[in-house]
Amino acid sequence: MTRVYLDNNATTIVDPKVYDVMSPFFCQMYGNPNSLHSFGSETHPALRTAMNQLYKGLNASDDDDIIVTSCATESNNWVLKAVYFDKILNGDKNHIIISEVEHPAIYSTCKWLETLGVKVTYLPVNHDGIVEAHTVKDFITDKTALVSIMWANNETGAIFPIKEIAQICKEKNVLFHTDGVQAVGKIKVDVQDVEVDFLSFSAHKFHGPKGVGGLYIKNSQELSALLHGGEHMGGRRSGTLNVAGIVGMGLAMELANDAIEYENKEVRRLRDKLEDALLQIPKTFVVTSRDKRTPNTMLISIKGVEGEAMLWDLNKAGIAASTGSACASEDLEANPVLMAVGADKELAHTAIRLSLSRFTTEDEIDYTIDVFKKAVIRLREISGSYAE
Ligand code: 7TS
């Protein structure tokens, strides 16, 4: 059966080159890098190469830290909780600013911090699903400890004005974190051009392995450790190094950055071809203008067709898509990002996210267009709630 994977914002296929570079570190070079014997030390060259690839990939300087974590959820939790300990519990601040369309790894952590007495501002987004930089300025007070705004949204692909927001935070002397999960490897992320204090990323979103991610920390900025223990990663994140994961993530970032031009031209062309075809179906609409999105993403609403029913039809034809974030897809609430951009509840229940990658082919897009159009006709007939 034909199988088409269009859920690349949830996770991606591991690039075969990444798989190859990782494989010796399971059964051959399996030593603990901290051990003094040769089993340990023989892992060092590959670890050094991988860390260099990560520094180069983000254009970080030697004064910065890149700390490998288990995923972006960990990186996001770390920043929020450490800022709580450092600046709120043990300081004189009490306020954090995020957007109302952050991933649950930020949003739910902030909800939890509220139970501890932290004041959280959830910034609204405009009709493109983007936080406008001036709103950040409007809400910063002398009690604000941290602003955390994502670089690109996982559901709409909307790219946020991170450079301007970073500048505002710098002027106001407030720490700035960005969740860069959906930006790294898809668009240019240069931490010297865009001066963020902290940036989270996750390898499996750019054709690296699952279970490994990172936190970039500017100028070795103070940030209490979340995991205490054996002083790994300079004492900033203890736990035996995930050697294969780190080696894989380093190469994955290099390959993804090398492919950014392809992503911008070819992946964008395929996404736009799919989008143009699907928008010919009456009463469909796509959130966020094309030029304001990552090149691989489209969130489309189809009037009269429940997102879950559509997903089921696509899945039967071998096509993987999503109704939004897979992290929340078991809960059948209306898509919160669509609600935030002002869609009505019906439209918000009919959202399908299609996300491509550099491995997506033209044949797969043609097949998807065909299946999608037939599924809409079928489901609209069944639901009967749709009239042209
Ligand atoms: N931040 C953003 C913006 C994300 O898109 C995701 C995963 C995460 C954080 C968490 O990454 P993890 O590696 O720790 O899991 N997003 C999605 C998604 O959109 N569908 O499934 C997972």
Side-chain angles (χ1 to χ4, degrees):
M1 183 173 101
T2 308
R3 293 184 86 206
V4 180
Y5 187 75
L6 294 178
D7 199 13
N8 287 281
N9 284 8
T11 196
T12 57
I13 184 173
V14 172
D15 188 310
K17 293 192 190 102
V18 169
Y19 180 78
D20 286 347
V21 83
M22 290 173 70
S23 62
F25 296 96
F26 291 100
C27 299
Q28 295 154 38
M29 290 189 273
Y30 51 81
N32 184 329
N34 279 23
S35 301
L36 296 179
H37 46 66
S38 64
F39 287 81
S41 58
E42 70 193 6
T43 64
H44 292 180
L47 283 172
R48 261 196 305 275
T49 301
M51 291 310 293
N52 285 337
Q53 286 166 322
L54 295 178
Y55 273 80
K56 193 158 171 247
L58 300 178
N59 197 24
S61 79
D62 292 344
D63 297 333
D64 301 333
D65 278 347
I66 294 179
I67 306 299
V68 175
T69 62
S70 64
C71 59
T73 299
E74 181 188 324
S75 308
N76 286 347
N77 269 261
W78 178 12
V79 173
L80 290 167
K81 290 173 184 173
V83 165
Y84 168 71
F85 286 126
D86 297 342
K87 309 278 178 202
I88 297 178
L89 197 60
N90 296 316
D92 60 353
K93 310 279 184 188
N94 71 354
H95 181 221
I96 290 175
I97 298 176
I98 67 167
S99 81
E100 59 181 358
V101 296
E102 294 300 314
H103 185 273
I106 293 287
Y107 196 91
S108 304
T109 309
C110 281
K111 286 283 165 201
W112 179 75
L113 287 173
E114 280 181 324
T115 68
L116 303 180
V118 179
K119 300 217 173 340
V120 181
T121 299
Y122 300 86
L123 294 179
V125 290
N126 64 16
H127 65 278
D128 270 320
I130 293 171
V131 168
E132 289 174 10
H134 69 85
T135 61
V136 178
K137 202 176 209 157
D138 295 344
F139 284 94
I140 290 179
T141 72
D142 56 1
K143 290 285 183 195
T144 308
L146 177 77
V147 173
S148 176
I149 305 284
M150 65 202 330
W151 197 308
N153 184 268
N154 46 315
E155 301 195 31
T156 58
I159 300 171
F160 289 45
I162 292 305
K163 192 168 178 168
E164 277 173 85
I165 296 173
Q167 191 57 37
I168 290 168
C169 292
K170 200 174 167 194
E171 278 160 20
K172 298 267 187 185
N173 206 16
V174 173
L175 291 173
F176 179 50
H177 165 251
T178 186
D179 176 345
V181 167
Q182 298 291 344
V184 172
K186 294 193 181 109
I187 56 175
K188 191 172 145 234
V189 171
D190 177 338
V191 293
Q192 294 194 43
D193 179 40
V194 179
E195 289 189 59
V196 300
D197 294 297
F198 311 108
L199 176 139
S200 306
F201 55 94
S202 209
H204 71 104
K205 306 285 186 181
F206 49 87
H207 305 289
K210 293 170 191 52
V212 58
L215 184 68
Y216 159 85
I217 304 177
K218 187 173 187 60
N219 266 334
S220 304
Q221 176 78 248
E222 179 201 339
L223 190 75
S224 281
L226 189 63
L227 300 184
H228 297 90
E231 298 291 304
H232 306 81
M233 291 263 146
R236 302 203 88 154
R237 199 269 185 189
S238 292
T240 299
L241 300 190
N242 172 1
V243 180
I246 297 169
V247 168
M249 178 160 70
L251 182 62
M253 191 178 283
E254 183 173 294
L255 294 173
N257 279 338
D258 288 349
I260 278 192
E261 211 179 301
Y262 179 86
E263 185 94 20
N264 229 320
K265 280 202 187 120
E266 200 46 26
V267 177
R268 183 185 295 277
R269 184 185 69 76
L270 289 176
R271 192 271 316 266
D272 290 353
K273 178 178 179 177
L274 178 62
E275 189 168 315
D276 286 339
L278 300 188
L279 284 174
Q280 283 170 8
I281 305 169
K283 302 267 166 88
T284 49
F285 100 99
V286 170
V287 185
T288 311
S289 325
R290 266 187 201 176
D291 57 335
K292 295 184 178 143
R293 260 186 276 148
T294 45
N296 75 318
T297 307
M298 163 196 343
L299 185 67
I300 185 165
S301 257
I302 316 132
K303 192 171 166 53
V305 177
E306 277 288 325
E308 277 70 27
M310 189 66 195
L311 212 60
W312 182 242
D313 259 37
L314 292 175
N315 188 47
K316 270 197 304 192
I319 301 169
S322 159
T323 49
S325 172
C327 322
S329 64
E330 276 170 26
D331 124 30
L332 292 186
E333 292 288 300
N335 183 308
V337 174
L338 273 174
M339 297 297 281
V341 299
D344 64 29
K345 225 176 166 157
E346 193 214 327
L347 277 183
H349 271 290
T350 62
I352 292 281
R353 180 182 71 183
L354 298 160
S355 47
L356 289 66
S357 83
R358 64 176 190 261
F359 290 88
T360 307
T361 66
E362 187 109 33
D363 283 350
E364 290 175 343
I365 293 302
D366 291 338
Y367 174 72
T368 303
I369 292 169
D370 188 45
V371 169
F372 203 100
K373 284 184 168 169
K374 286 179 186 146
V376 172
I377 293 170
R378 196 184 83 79
L379 292 169
R380 277 181 174 166
E381 270 171 19
I382 294 173
S383 88
S385 66
Y386 167 79
E388 252 182 62

